[in-house]
Amino acid sequence: MKYKEIWIKENIFDWEGFRSSWTLNDSMYLERPYQIWGHSLDLFNIKEDNSFHRADGISNLKRSINHRLQSIEQIYQFKTLGILNKPKGYLELLETLGLVRPYIMKQLFEIRNDIEHRDILPPNKERCNELLDIVWYFLKSTDNLVQILKSEGEYTLYTHNEAETNYSFSIELNYGEINKSSIRGWFPNNYINYEKGDGYLKVLLEDIHGKEKWEDNENSYHKNKLDSDKWINGYINFEPNNIVKPIKSVLSLL
């Protein structure tokens, strides 16, 4: 029987994974927010400390964060993801994807808004320097995200005794058109279903076959399989309730 679609267990993303390759991004994404941050550092360190310098420094810290957030969105287009109950705020969206903890960043935004719109005095110099450090750590924690495009991964199934099995797959996420994300690899029969079920990802098939296709091939990786195992090549058709785990997994790969 020729199948056009198949379902694979979502927990394939619990397999051992690593980042298989990467694409370097423009260095501007990395460097510019640090330049803005550095201006805040200069303002907070002026000997003749006054509220105007601190207010300008707080505004620049917010600019530094915003530049990084805009860069992340430009690279990954997370706003286009059809996530179930997707948060309205961008920091909260990044939190959903396991990328940031937004609470302190939101505090900084509130402080800046109070200064800008309610003419509230900025925090004292000590608190400003704390915020300076917080933004620096935020930038450092997201540097890797903007230095390289984290879209590809390789996953291998290991036994409970940590022995490597014959099953593995690769995935390449297409963030702008997430349902054009490709997947291919060998899967044991108990990870595959031929109709929709809870806990499964739908795959639109380009190709599916067993080890018989590789009988004349010297590559033992393809030949050393069970008769029931399947080689699958296709595109994942994500749904709003199962899109987060695979993306979080790929983004976390080292």
Side-chain angles (χ1 to χ4, degrees):
M1 181 180 294
K2 186 70 173 178
Y3 295 99
K4 293 183 178 179
E5 56 192 34
I6 204 169
W7 282 261
I8 300 176
K9 284 185 178 180
E10 293 178 22
N11 64 5
I12 57 172
F13 289 97
D14 294 330
W15 295 9
E16 189 73 23
F18 67 93
R19 189 170 65 236
S20 54
S21 63
W22 56 86
T23 301
L24 287 174
N25 292 317
D26 192 313
S27 61
M28 171 196 68
Y29 293 126
L30 180 68
E31 296 167 2
R32 180 57 180 159
Y34 284 104
Q35 294 169 355
I36 301 169
W37 177 90
H39 187 49
S40 291
L41 175 65
D42 293 339
L43 288 167
F44 293 155
N45 285 333
I46 293 175
K47 287 185 178 180
E48 296 78 20
D49 174 46
N50 63 59
S51 61
F52 295 106
H53 293 149
R54 283 181 273 122
D56 287 345
I58 292 293
S59 293
N60 273 284
L61 289 181
K62 184 175 184 291
R63 283 182 57 218
S64 177
I65 294 172
N66 281 340
H67 190 286
R68 177 54 55 87
L69 295 178
Q70 289 164 8
S71 296
I72 291 171
E73 178 57 23
Q74 187 173 347
I75 294 167
Y76 292 94
Q77 303 178 62
F78 289 141
K79 289 181 180 179
T80 67
L81 298 176
I83 297 173
L84 183 66
N85 299 321
K86 183 165 69 175
K88 293 182 179 179
Y90 197 68
L91 283 170
E92 289 78 8
L93 175 58
L94 296 185
E95 181 183 27
T96 298
L97 298 173
L99 297 173
V100 302
R101 299 290 294 173
Y103 178 71
I104 296 179
M105 298 299 107
K106 291 171 69 175
Q107 279 190 320
L108 173 62
F109 288 2
E110 290 171 2
I111 291 170
R112 184 266 179 189
N113 288 339
D114 283 343
I115 295 170
E116 187 76 16
H117 303 297
R118 298 176 57 201
D119 199 27
I120 301 296
L121 287 175
N124 61 34
K125 188 171 182 177
E126 181 179 0
R127 178 57 174 157
C128 285
N129 281 314
E130 289 176 358
L131 294 170
L132 189 75
D133 286 351
I134 288 166
V135 173
W136 184 87
Y137 281 111
F138 166 75
L139 294 177
K140 283 296 178 185
S141 70
T142 54
D143 276 353
N144 189 247
L145 200 59
V146 297
Q147 279 181 307
I148 59 175
L149 175 61
K150 303 179 74 171
S151 61
E152 299 180 41
E154 300 273 353
Y155 291 81
T156 300
L157 177 63
Y158 284 77
T159 68
H160 294 300
N161 296 325
E162 299 186 356
E164 185 175 346
T165 71
N166 292 321
Y167 307 108
S168 64
F169 71 93
S170 63
I171 183 170
E172 182 175 1
L173 294 177
N174 184 335
Y175 290 105
E177 297 180 89
I178 199 64
N179 282 340
K180 291 185 178 180
S181 299
S182 62
I183 184 171
R184 64 176 181 174
W186 280 103
F187 299 90
N189 187 57
N190 63 323
Y191 275 79
I192 299 169
N193 206 354
Y194 295 93
E195 57 185 34
K196 185 175 182 178
D198 291 338
Y200 284 81
L201 296 165
K202 182 179 180 180
V203 176
L204 304 179
L205 292 170
E206 291 279 307
D207 190 20
I208 181 172
H209 54 257
K211 68 176 185 177
E212 68 281 351
K213 181 174 180 177
W214 308 93
E215 287 181 354
D216 298 328
N217 193 304
E218 296 300 322
N219 190 334
S220 61
Y221 170 71
H222 291 293
K223 295 175 69 174
N224 190 18
K225 298 292 185 293
L226 300 176
D227 291 340
S228 59
D229 296 339
K230 295 298 180 185
W231 169 266
I232 291 172
N233 180 22
Y235 297 91
I236 301 180
N237 190 215
F238 291 106
E239 296 183 6
N241 65 332
N242 63 25
I243 193 172
V244 170
K245 181 175 181 176
I247 292 175
K248 285 180 69 173
S249 177
V250 172
L251 289 171
S252 70
L253 296 179
L254 302 176

